[in-house]
Amino acid sequence: MKTQIEKIREEFLKQLALIKDNEELRELELKYLSRKGEFSEIMHGLKDVSIELRKELGELANTVKGEMQTKFEEVRHSLESFAKKSDFIDVTLPGEKIENGHIHPVTLVQNELEDLFTSLGFMIGDGPELESDYYNFTALNVPPLHPARDMQDTFYIESKNKEDQYDLVMRTQTSPVQIRLMQKYGAPLKAIIPGRCFRNEATDSRHEHTFYQVEGIMVGKDINFANLKSLLEIVGKKLFGANTELRMRPKFFPFVEPGNNGEYTCFLCQGKGCRVCKYTGWLEIVGAGLIHPDVLRAGGVDPEIYSGLAFGFGLNRLAMLKYNINDVRLFNSGDIKFLEQF
Ligand code: PHE
C-alpha cells in the first residue's frame, strides 16, 4: 500500500507537469483529488488493515495528499496569472485615433445668434416640428382657404380632425411658436426660437424641403418700429461687420402689420454690387414687422395694452452667405467632405 501511495504521487506529479489548460487541470483533480478519485480509494482501503499500519499509512497518505494539493494549487495559480497576462495592455502602443466631430455650419450660425440674443435678454424657445394647422396658419392670421396659404407649399400629414380637415402639418415656419410662447408666458416677452422647418419645395441649389429658421418675438408696452429697426441693425452688424447698414422695404406677411423685408449691405462687395447680391448691393436676410393685433389676440395678449415685433431669419441662407456655400442641399447631405470644413 505504501508503494501504491508513492506511485499515485509520482504519477500525479508527472501528469501535473504536463498540464496546459484549465480543462486538463480539472480532469486531473477529478482523477486524483476528488471524493471519487484514486486517493479516496486508498483511504477507504485503510479500514481493512491493522490499527498500527493504519496509523502509519494514514499519516503518509495525508502528507502525500497535502503535498499533491499544494502542487496542484501552484499550477492552478500560474495558469490564472498567465490568463491575466494576456489581458495586459501595452500603454506604449499608439492609440486608436478618435475622430473629432464638426459643428454643422447651420448650428454655428444658430449659436452665434443665440449668443447675441441671450446677451440682449432674450430667452430661447422651442416648439413642435409636427404642428397643428391652427398654430402654423390660422392663429397667424392665415385662415383655411385664404390665398396667403399659397406662399408656403406645405406637407400635410394624413390624419383628419372632427371637421374632416387635415389638422397636422410639418411646420413651414417657426412663427407658430410665437403663439405658443405668448400663450405660455404672456406679456412682456422676449424670445428667439431656432428650429427646423419644412416646405414642399422642388429642390435645387437654392431650395430645400428641410431648412432652419430663427424666429424672434418681443412683446411689451410701446414696442414700435424703431425698436425693430435698432434690433435688426444690431444683428446685421454682429453678423456681417460694423459697417453693415440696414434697409427695410415693405413686404406682406399675414401675421405682421406693417411687414417688411430687412436687407443688409452686401458684405462681399460692400454695397457696390456683385453676383451674390445680384448687383443690388443689398442682401435680403430677414422677414419682420410689428405683430398683427389678431395674432396677439390668438396668443392671449391684449393688443389694446401691448404691442410687439417679430422677425424671422433663414439660417441656411445666412450660413450660405457666411461660409460661401453654393448649394443649400449640402446642409442635409451628410457629406463628410462638406462637413469637415467647419
Ligand atoms: N415666418 C416668415 C417666413 O417664413 C418670416 C417672418 C417671421 C416674417 C416673422 C415676419 C415676421 O417667411
Side-chain angles (χ1 to χ4, degrees):
M1 223 175 195
K2 228 178 178 168
T3 46
Q4 217 180 329
I5 295 177
E6 285 297 335
K7 242 179 90 188
I8 291 179
R9 175 176 172 273
E10 247 169 65
E11 198 53 38
F12 171 82
L13 289 178
K14 214 161 86 193
Q15 289 187 24
L16 189 65
L18 299 173
I19 291 292
K20 284 190 296 295
D21 56 34
N22 276 326
E23 210 168 310
E24 287 178 8
L25 193 70
R26 223 169 296 124
E27 272 170 31
L28 197 73
E29 186 178 25
L30 267 176
K31 188 165 175 212
Y32 289 97
L33 300 172
S34 75
R35 269 210 264 149
K36 290 202 175 122
E38 296 205 5
F39 229 94
S40 298
E41 263 172 52
I42 299 256
M43 294 304 223
H44 269 297
L46 284 182
K47 65 181 186 313
D48 301 327
V49 299
S50 71
I51 300 192
E52 271 156 58
L53 199 57
R54 193 187 303 167
K55 210 177 150 206
E56 197 195 326
L57 287 175
E59 261 172 36
L60 177 69
N62 273 333
T63 346
V64 170
K65 192 175 180 191
E67 189 195 340
M68 283 164 62
Q69 204 94 46
T70 323
K71 290 258 152 64
F72 178 85
E73 289 303 328
E74 272 172 26
V75 173
R76 201 208 337 249
H77 264 118
S78 68
L79 270 181
E80 268 172 17
S81 59
F82 181 73
K84 274 195 198 120
K85 251 193 211 130
S86 57
D87 292 339
F88 173 74
I89 295 170
D90 183 353
V91 291
T92 63
L93 282 176
E96 235 175 77
K97 196 171 173 219
I98 298 173
E99 298 282 349
N100 272 338
H102 294 252
I103 298 182
H104 194 279
V106 167
T107 312
L108 288 171
V109 178
Q110 177 179 330
N111 289 348
E112 202 176 326
L113 284 174
E114 285 185 7
D115 284 351
L116 171 65
F117 279 102
T118 48
S119 79
L120 295 171
F122 283 66
M123 62 181 233
I124 296 174
D126 198 9
E129 293 177 350
L130 178 56
E131 186 52 283
S132 73
D133 178 279
Y134 174 77
Y135 279 104
N136 195 77
F137 291 123
T138 311
L140 290 169
N141 219 10
V142 190
L145 305 178
H146 193 281
R149 291 208 173 197
D150 293 346
M151 290 168 74
Q152 302 181 353
D153 254 328
T154 309
F155 292 121
Y156 283 99
I157 302 297
E158 264 197 49
S159 77
K160 291 197 172 169
N161 62 15
K162 279 186 238 116
E163 284 86 47
D164 202 34
Q165 273 167 352
Y166 291 122
D167 188 35
L168 292 177
V169 41
M170 298 307 291
R171 69 173 177 200
T172 56
Q173 49 190 349
T174 40
S175 305
V177 193
Q178 287 185 30
I179 309 283
R180 289 182 175 278
L181 292 189
M182 282 191 277
Q183 286 178 342
K184 188 163 179 194
Y185 299 105
L189 174 68
K190 287 204 288 185
I192 58 161
I193 306 118
R196 188 157 57 162
C197 305
F198 311 84
R199 287 188 200 176
N200 182 18
E201 302 279 3
T203 53
D204 61 29
S205 64
R206 289 157 51 88
H207 299 90
E208 175 61 297
H209 50 70
T210 302
F211 57 97
Y212 290 80
Q213 291 188 339
V214 167
E215 191 84 8
I217 175 173
M218 187 166 169
V219 181
K221 287 186 176 149
D222 300 323
I223 300 291
N224 57 40
F225 213 83
N227 299 132
L228 178 61
K229 183 159 189 264
S230 73
L231 200 55
L232 293 184
E233 264 170 9
I234 292 171
V235 179
K237 289 186 196 311
K238 164 86 176 173
L239 286 176
F240 302 117
N243 293 329
T244 307
E245 282 184 45
L246 168 75
R247 82 173 178 185
M248 300 170 100
R249 301 210 294 175
K251 166 128 197 230
F252 171 68
F253 296 102
F255 29 88
V256 286
E257 179 59 36
N260 73 278
N261 237 337
E263 302 177 4
Y264 295 113
T265 23
C266 178
F267 63 95
L268 273 173
C269 61
Q270 309 300 328
K272 286 188 208 77
C274 68
R275 210 171 56 88
V276 171
C277 61
K278 297 197 201 110
Y279 302 97
T280 62
W282 297 93
L283 294 168
E284 276 183 36
I285 297 290
V286 54
L290 295 183
I291 302 176
H292 194 289
D294 283 349
V295 174
L296 289 173
R297 245 176 248 122
V301 171
D302 185 350
E304 301 299 329
I305 305 173
Y306 295 103
S307 54
L309 61 83
F311 53 87
F313 290 93
L315 279 186
N316 299 72
R317 177 156 159 74
L318 279 182
M320 285 174 84
L321 289 167
K322 192 168 169 130
Y323 299 112
N324 200 7
I325 296 165
N326 59 11
D327 193 328
V328 67
R329 291 167 296 192
L330 284 166
F331 290 117
N332 295 333
S333 66
D335 185 344
I336 297 281
K337 277 194 245 125
F338 168 68
L339 294 170
E340 272 177 351
Q341 298 174 55
F342 302 94

